[in-house]
Amino acid sequence: MIQKKITLLGTILLCAAVSLAGCAKAQQEEPEPAPLEIEPIEQEEPEEPVVEEEPEEEEPVSLVIEERVEKDGKIQSYLTGQWTDVEKAKRRPIAVMIPNNAPALPQYGLSRAGIIYEAPVEGRITRLMGVFEDFDDLDRIGPVRSSRDYYVYTAMGYEAIYCNWGLAVPYVEELINRPNYYNVSAAVVGIHNPADEAFGRHKRPGYATEFTGYLFIDGLFDAVERLGYDWNYDDAYVPPFLFAADDVRADYADNEEASYVYPGGKSSSNSGGYGAYHPYFEYHEDDQLYYRYQDGKKQIDELTGNQLTVSNVVFQYCHGEVRDSHDYLAFGVHGEGDAIVFTNGRVIKGSWKRFDGDFTPAKFYDEAGEEIVFNQGSTWICNIWDEYGEFVEYGQE
């Protein structure tokens, strides 16, 4: 019994061993799988998004001269807006008193003025004040006459060196001799620091002596140096006009047209100083200039032999009064008042304002309160005696 059991167990163990051996052999004979070769997948670089470049914004082209810039030795003039030699346009101008009555004509050098200021004086005639920055090559300017305080105040607004020859009394002496005021004045009563080296006589056969006195430019420079005046504009200088930019025309196309401009009317004999010689301006569309006439004739500059022309004409209305029995006048050139600007053959009605002191100029505004844009070139300002403003005429003919 026991023998049989052992044999049976041996048989079982033998079969198990054979089975395990067969399994082992089967495991050994089964070929190993070939290693799996994985080829790397080339990944495409992601495309960068295409960013469309925005077109560069063009700087807006200014229609007016906002800030002066130097270019090739030139810079825009404060007086005319035109390109001018830097050394001339950066220094103070000179303001020269010039008679305008018939016995004094023609004046010499007046066409070089950037601004011509005209106002009534005693005797119901007008006198001129030319404001010059381009004068170095001239030998003289004139003839030269005496001052009035409203001209002095006007010249102060341009920071000009004021040049005059004649009595400084009774209303000018205190003003013109102030320490902060630059004047080159002939040695006459009322002038405390005369500059005779700047003035002299020029032969004019047939003319009264009072119309033979001139400002001589060499003497002017000598006088300014001796008196210690500074040619440089003050840092707080305020330009008198807003000018159209280069190649831009302030046309005011919707405004009324006027080809003829009469500061004292066509025929009145007592129109606030403009009635004696009936000056007027005629606009020429071909060259866009205003031509000056007086006493029925072309007003000529003796320097060039040509008629006086300007790009802009201004009527600045000011309250006026007769001061004394000698008919000396006073005009309010500070504050504000009515104004008419004529440019490009058009009429721009508005106002003038001057509230920031003696050393700032009158500025001109349209009826909407916007500063009027002047065309480049010289400007003639007529001080209109407000109480005689009714005589002003302009229009088409």
Side-chain angles (χ1 to χ4, degrees):
M1 188 74 179
I2 295 173
Q3 175 74 34
K4 189 176 182 178
K5 287 181 180 178
I6 293 173
T7 302
L8 180 61
L9 177 60
T11 302
I12 293 170
L13 290 173
L14 180 63
C15 289
V18 172
S19 175
L20 287 171
C23 288
K25 185 177 180 182
Q27 287 179 358
Q28 290 176 359
E29 291 179 358
E30 184 178 342
E32 294 184 4
L36 181 63
E37 295 183 6
I38 302 176
E39 294 183 5
I41 300 174
E42 293 184 4
Q43 295 185 353
E44 295 184 0
E45 293 289 332
E47 293 185 4
E48 293 185 6
V50 177
V51 179
E52 293 186 4
E53 293 185 5
E54 295 184 6
E56 292 184 7
E57 291 186 8
E58 293 184 4
E59 292 186 7
V61 177
S62 179
L63 300 180
V64 297
I65 299 174
E66 296 175 339
E67 290 187 12
R68 305 202 303 174
V69 294
E70 292 187 28
K71 185 177 179 181
D72 299 327
K74 294 185 179 293
I75 196 170
Q76 298 101 324
S77 164
Y78 284 136
L79 305 185
T80 67
Q82 296 170 324
W83 291 96
T84 304
D85 291 342
V86 169
E87 63 270 20
K88 296 178 182 179
K90 281 193 169 183
R91 72 180 175 198
R92 297 172 186 264
I94 60 173
V96 187
M97 292 297 300
I98 299 174
N100 193 46
N101 45 329
L105 302 183
Q107 299 102 337
Y108 188 92
L110 194 53
S111 61
R112 289 290 191 89
I115 300 171
I116 300 171
Y117 177 77
E118 181 174 18
V121 293
E122 65 282 356
R124 296 301 188 271
I125 58 174
T126 64
R127 185 162 292 178
L128 308 180
M129 181 180 73
V131 184
F132 300 80
E133 63 184 358
D134 181 14
F135 54 82
D136 301 65
D137 61 333
L138 298 179
D139 60 336
R140 66 187 189 278
I141 296 173
V144 181
R145 290 303 305 275
S146 60
S147 174
R148 302 293 180 270
D149 58 354
Y150 41 99
Y151 290 93
V152 177
Y153 280 121
T154 300
M156 290 169 80
Y158 305 128
E159 292 193 5
I161 296 173
Y162 186 72
C163 305
N164 66 109
W165 186 348
L167 296 179
V169 292
Y171 303 108
V172 177
E173 182 175 6
E174 186 279 329
L175 175 62
I176 202 171
N177 290 299
R178 291 178 183 176
N180 64 341
Y181 190 64
Y182 291 174
N183 75 91
V184 172
S185 305
V188 294
V189 175
I191 297 298
H192 300 176
N193 295 298
D196 264 1
E197 66 265 49
F199 300 92
R201 299 287 177 185
H202 177 75
K203 289 184 179 180
R204 300 184 82 188
Y207 284 80
T209 303
E210 61 187 305
F211 302 125
T212 63
Y214 287 77
L215 174 73
F216 285 85
I217 303 306
D218 288 345
L220 165 71
F221 283 114
D222 291 342
V224 171
E225 182 177 1
R226 179 179 62 79
L227 293 167
Y229 295 156
D230 183 0
W231 277 108
N232 295 314
Y233 280 109
D234 188 83
D235 290 340
Y237 178 75
V238 177
F241 306 121
L242 179 65
F243 283 109
D246 292 348
D247 302 319
V248 174
R249 197 72 193 154
D251 57 20
Y252 289 94
D254 295 333
N255 288 47
E256 178 184 356
E257 293 184 75
S259 55
Y260 287 86
V261 177
Y262 299 86
K266 298 179 184 179
S267 58
S268 174
S269 60
N270 188 26
S271 49
Y274 293 93
Y277 300 111
H278 302 293
Y280 69 93
F281 301 87
E282 179 182 82
Y283 179 70
H284 290 195
E285 191 172 357
D286 56 346
D287 58 7
Q288 300 169 322
L289 295 175
Y290 291 85
Y291 286 69
R292 169 78 174 201
Y293 293 82
Q294 186 163 286
D295 205 17
K297 303 173 184 176
K298 297 177 180 179
Q299 191 159 353
I300 303 296
D301 182 359
E302 187 179 16
L303 170 67
T304 64
N306 297 326
Q307 187 173 3
L308 294 171
T309 61
V310 293
S311 295
N312 314 282
V313 176
V314 178
F315 287 176
Q316 182 180 355
Y317 290 73
C318 301
H319 169 67
E321 295 180 356
V322 177
R323 278 176 156 154
D324 55 31
S325 60
H326 298 287
D327 200 36
Y328 279 98
L329 305 178
F331 286 99
V333 292
H334 296 80
E336 63 183 341
D338 293 334
I340 305 175
V341 173
F342 302 90
T343 192
N344 201 57
R346 302 287 173 163
V347 181
I348 304 98
K349 294 181 179 179
S351 62
W352 64 269
K353 296 180 182 180
R354 187 185 183 191
F355 288 110
D356 296 324
D358 293 338
F359 291 97
T360 57
K363 302 283 280 183
F364 298 93
Y365 303 89
D366 62 22
E367 291 178 313
E370 299 292 329
E371 188 169 357
I372 293 172
V373 180
F374 286 67
N375 283 298
Q376 292 186 23
S378 54
T379 298
W380 195 303
I381 302 175
C382 296
N383 179 325
I384 302 297
W385 192 339
D386 206 2
E387 287 73 11
Y388 291 87
E390 63 185 280
F391 294 102
V392 164
E393 293 183 56
Y394 54 84
Q396 300 288 87
E397 291 186 5

